[in-house]
Amino acid sequence: MVFTAVLYLPFLGQAFHIDDRIYLEVADQIRETPFFPYDYQVLFEGIWSPDAASHSHLPLLSYWIALVQVLSGSRSEWVMHLAFLPFALLAVWAFYDIARRYLRFPAAAGALLAASPAFLVLSHTLMADVPLLAFWLGTMAFYLRLADQGAPRSALWGCLLCLLASAFLSLLSGGLLLLMAAWWLIAGWKKLPRVPGRLLLLLLAAPLVLWTAWYLRAWLHYDRMVLINTMLHMEKRQIFQWHVFGVKSLSFILNLGAVFLFPLALCNAWARQWSGRLTLLLFFLSPVPFALWIEDWTWQQVLLFAAFFSSGLLALGTLLSVPLRMPVCHPGFSRLSAEDFKPSQARASSHPALAADPPDDAWQEGLSLLSFLWFAGILAAAMLLYYAGSARYVLLAAPPVILLWIKYLECRVLYNDYLLRNLVWLGFALTLPYGLWIAWGDYQFAEMYRRGADQMVERYTRTGRTLWFTAEWGLRYYLSQRGARPLPRVDAGPRAGDVLFKPYVASPWRTLYDGEEHIEFIGRHALEVPTRLRLLDYRSHAAFYSTGWGILPWSLGEGEPWEWIYVYRVKQAYSGPIPEQPRHY
């Protein structure tokens, strides 16, 4: 946990980024109307909505942000990021607690999670990804403790609180309920300790009651079933179209090979004979489409695609084959005795079930199967519930990927603990600088918009001139904080002499003023960063946050500016008919 804090603290000053603004807006509303967090008019991608009740996440994080703001009296970045450090600490501690039931080197599992690029990058935002992962892991850690004989009452309260927190954060936590039920069945099948059936039903019922009460309350307050609009929005984004499935599938594979472990580290455990040769073949065949018909890719970007695709496909094939070749290390095949594989006395005292029958291989088989179900569930969710691919959407798959990677490595090196330890920590040594480099690139990405907003407002502010913009993410937040105003798609507010900012990357939208009749181009300004690393960029095909910009989890630019802000002067106010506003659903 100290290591996690050390990795986290240098990024405390990171600018608010991507969807952080949304959680901050809801927190502002909570301070005004605590019981109705979504009762404010929302502007998203230039379209007004009367409220935010159909937001896909529940408001736990915004309540936390509002509480921190009230207690600290501050809205600064470092205060908000420091308030999110406990989520990262909970995730790493809970993952270690699960791993020590399963692995010989559980500390390496916790360190790999903390150092993985996806975890490092997303832990420096105010979005729900890392808190949701933390509550999932916390729930499962306390749930496994709850099955131990003589488990303290704190395990029950810890499990219940993490489960309810997860439920009040995202409906994806329905998958967590399935995992808990799956472990109960697996434990019974393997004759492992498990919680009493009545207690399991109580735990499973708690989030269902919470969701029922929350959405029934929303129905009565808004006079509509708010989830219907959420589903209509997903349908409008064509999430079930075949080409969208193809993009999401490819994105999942690329993210699997790029954002959990350093790509070459995956081969330590999973590349055996035929699979290793197949991985090499895929690596060399991947550039063929780019040579034949795909243009605008540099050789560095093609090389990244080949590395991510081949390693991701190796990981996907290995993980999906877990039920066919369960990663179980049998002491009988090792020079070590069965006693060497049993938990230490200290561990046995805190987890009595681990020191008793059934033997260790039952635990290994059970947790391997649970990891497979966990991974398969996140894969299904990424395919069915999202309209794009993203590293954010696969973060919940990090625990089973890391657990099974280390377990396969343990099973390959049964005779030499020294070699095994070095191989496991070699994977960490490769992943740590890799993760820090990508996190630093994201830090620069966020800072680019904070700095750009300051520069643009300072340069174009004049008495009587209104500054307008069409942008999302941190650029929208910082421009708004400095007095600029968002221009909705069907708004005729700008007057002659006003200035309009439009970015190239940060989600600009069309307005009534697009065209030479109403505005004239007066310049463009480059927003540069001191690195070629790109995380969301059309030109380099980078798509860490969404495949709307590319397909690679991260990429390399060619030295050009990352972002451009185009500046226009309003020549005359819009005087034509106002069209009907488009809808999100």
Side-chain angles (χ1 to χ4, degrees):
M1 292 177 68
V2 173
F3 170 73
T4 305
V6 169
L7 289 182
Y8 190 95
L9 293 177
F11 297 92
L12 285 180
Q14 177 166 311
F16 295 134
H17 196 26
I18 307 295
D19 289 343
D20 290 356
R21 173 195 61 81
I22 297 174
Y23 294 92
L24 290 165
E25 280 185 358
V26 178
D28 290 340
Q29 183 63 31
I30 287 172
R31 295 205 311 275
E32 294 185 16
T33 56
F35 297 105
F36 301 99
Y38 294 137
D39 274 18
Y40 69 100
Q41 196 175 23
V42 179
L43 181 69
F44 181 65
E45 295 181 344
I47 302 174
W48 285 112
S49 295
D51 57 65
S54 295
H55 181 33
S56 58
H57 287 297
L58 283 82
L60 176 66
L61 281 187
S62 293
Y63 275 109
W64 175 245
I65 291 171
L67 176 63
V68 170
Q69 289 175 346
V70 169
L71 295 178
S72 67
S74 173
R75 297 172 55 91
S76 66
E77 290 86 349
W78 75 268
V79 171
M80 292 296 102
H81 289 306
L82 189 61
F84 273 62
L85 175 57
F87 300 123
L89 297 178
L90 172 61
V92 173
W93 169 82
F95 188 49
Y96 168 79
D97 196 65
I98 295 170
R100 66 178 180 169
R101 297 173 173 270
Y102 185 50
L103 303 174
R104 290 154 64 188
F105 297 106
L112 275 170
L113 178 65
S116 66
F119 186 86
L120 265 178
V121 168
L122 294 170
S123 64
H124 306 144
T125 71
L126 306 187
M127 296 185 289
D129 308 285
V130 169
L132 183 61
L133 175 66
F135 291 131
W136 273 50
L137 288 168
T139 299
M140 293 306 298
F142 284 117
Y143 182 60
L144 292 175
R145 285 190 173 203
L146 200 57
D148 297 340
Q149 296 177 4
R153 183 168 296 183
S154 60
L156 173 60
W157 287 112
C159 183
L160 184 60
L161 288 175
C162 285
L163 182 58
L164 289 175
S166 177
F168 202 46
L169 189 57
S170 174
L171 288 174
L172 278 177
S173 298
L176 182 56
L177 305 186
L178 295 177
L179 280 178
M180 295 171 67
W183 176 252
W184 192 84
L185 295 173
I186 292 169
W189 173 35
K190 296 293 181 182
K191 296 183 172 54
L192 292 167
R194 61 182 183 180
V195 300
R198 291 182 179 179
L199 182 55
L200 174 66
L201 291 177
L202 173 64
L203 290 170
L204 298 184
L208 297 177
V209 171
L210 173 65
W211 286 329
T212 301
W214 179 260
Y215 286 108
L216 178 60
R217 176 179 176 274
W219 183 28
L220 295 174
H221 183 68
Y222 297 105
D223 196 27
R224 73 178 194 272
M225 183 60 70
V226 297
L227 283 178
I228 292 178
N229 289 350
T230 307
M231 291 183 285
L232 289 175
H233 176 69
M234 294 166 59
E235 184 180 356
K236 185 176 181 180
R237 295 284 187 137
Q238 300 180 326
I239 65 171
F240 299 118
Q241 296 293 318
W242 284 110
H243 73 278
V244 177
F245 274 122
V247 170
K248 291 189 291 187
S249 300
L250 182 57
S251 173
F252 192 92
I253 293 170
L254 293 171
N255 280 302
L256 194 57
V259 299
F260 294 149
L261 295 162
F262 188 74
L264 289 178
L266 290 168
C267 299
N268 280 353
W270 289 336
R272 306 184 185 186
Q273 296 180 354
W274 68 268
S275 58
R277 294 169 186 170
L278 181 59
T279 301
L280 281 174
L281 180 63
L282 287 170
F283 177 82
F284 288 114
L285 289 179
S286 297
V288 171
F290 300 93
L292 294 179
W293 65 80
I294 300 178
E295 300 178 353
D296 300 327
W297 283 63
T298 66
W299 69 267
Q300 297 103 320
Q301 293 159 10
V302 173
L303 184 63
L304 288 174
F305 180 90
F308 298 156
F309 181 73
S310 56
S311 58
L313 210 56
L314 170 66
L316 183 66
T318 305
L319 291 164
L320 292 182
S321 68
V322 166
L324 301 177
R325 48 171 183 161
M326 199 77 69
V328 177
C329 302
H330 293 284
F333 296 115
S334 169
R335 63 173 175 81
L336 301 174
S337 69
E339 293 300 318
D340 293 315
F341 279 79
K342 286 190 178 293
S344 66
Q345 192 62 35
R347 182 179 167 198
S349 63
S350 61
H351 300 285
L354 295 180
D357 290 330
D360 284 4
D361 59 350
W363 276 100
Q364 293 180 48
E365 290 177 355
L367 287 171
S368 293
L369 189 54
L370 181 69
S371 297
F372 162 76
L373 293 173
W374 187 324
F375 174 79
I378 301 306
L379 172 60
M383 296 299 102
L384 299 175
L385 300 180
Y386 298 109
Y387 50 78
S390 169
R392 294 178 57 191
Y393 304 151
V394 302
L395 177 63
L396 280 174
V401 170
I402 294 173
L403 281 178
L404 289 169
W405 179 79
I406 297 178
K407 174 53 65 177
Y408 272 98
L409 202 55
E410 288 183 359
C411 293
R412 292 190 66 180
V413 187
L414 283 171
Y415 295 93
N416 192 330
D417 269 9
Y418 177 77
L419 175 60
L420 172 61
R421 184 182 294 108
N422 286 340
L423 287 175
V424 171
W425 287 105
L426 174 62
F428 168 77
L430 292 171
T431 301
L432 177 60
Y434 176 65
L436 285 172
W437 179 57
I438 296 176
W440 177 75
D442 188 64
Y443 184 95
Q444 296 296 330
F445 182 23
E447 180 61 29
M448 175 178 71
Y449 288 124
R450 176 166 57 184
R451 183 177 64 250
D454 288 339
Q455 294 171 350
M456 301 305 293
V457 170
E458 181 180 357
R459 180 164 184 170
Y460 289 97
T461 296
R462 297 288 188 278
T463 302
R465 171 186 288 177
T466 302
L467 303 181
W468 302 83
F469 64 86
T470 65
E472 289 292 346
W473 310 342
L475 181 60
R476 171 174 168 176
Y477 176 83
Y478 288 107
L479 283 173
S480 297
Q481 291 293 105
R482 285 145 182 76
R485 298 170 58 181
L487 177 60
R489 297 190 186 212
V490 295
D491 193 299
R495 295 293 180 261
D498 289 353
V499 174
L500 173 62
F501 301 139
K502 276 181 172 286
Y504 173 65
V505 177
S507 294
W509 58 79
R510 293 188 60 82
T511 71
L512 299 178
Y513 286 79
D514 288 4
E516 296 181 356
E517 179 183 355
H518 297 99
I519 57 176
E520 62 178 344
F521 177 73
I522 60 175
R524 68 172 187 171
H525 298 269
L527 301 185
E528 303 190 49
V529 294
T531 175
R532 291 181 59 199
L533 177 65
R534 301 288 185 265
L535 273 77
L536 202 61
D537 178 40
Y538 295 114
R539 290 180 293 262
S540 61
H541 317 286
F544 187 92
Y545 289 104
S546 173
T547 50
W549 283 257
I551 195 65
L552 294 172
W554 61 267
S555 187
L556 296 173
E558 297 185 79
E560 73 281 356
W562 192 335
E563 173 71 281
W564 295 92
I565 296 183
Y566 296 84
V567 186
Y568 302 88
R569 184 181 67 84
V570 177
K571 294 192 298 185
Q572 63 177 7
Y574 180 84
S575 57
I578 304 296
E580 184 179 353
Q581 177 183 250
R583 304 178 65 166
H584 288 296
Y585 50 87

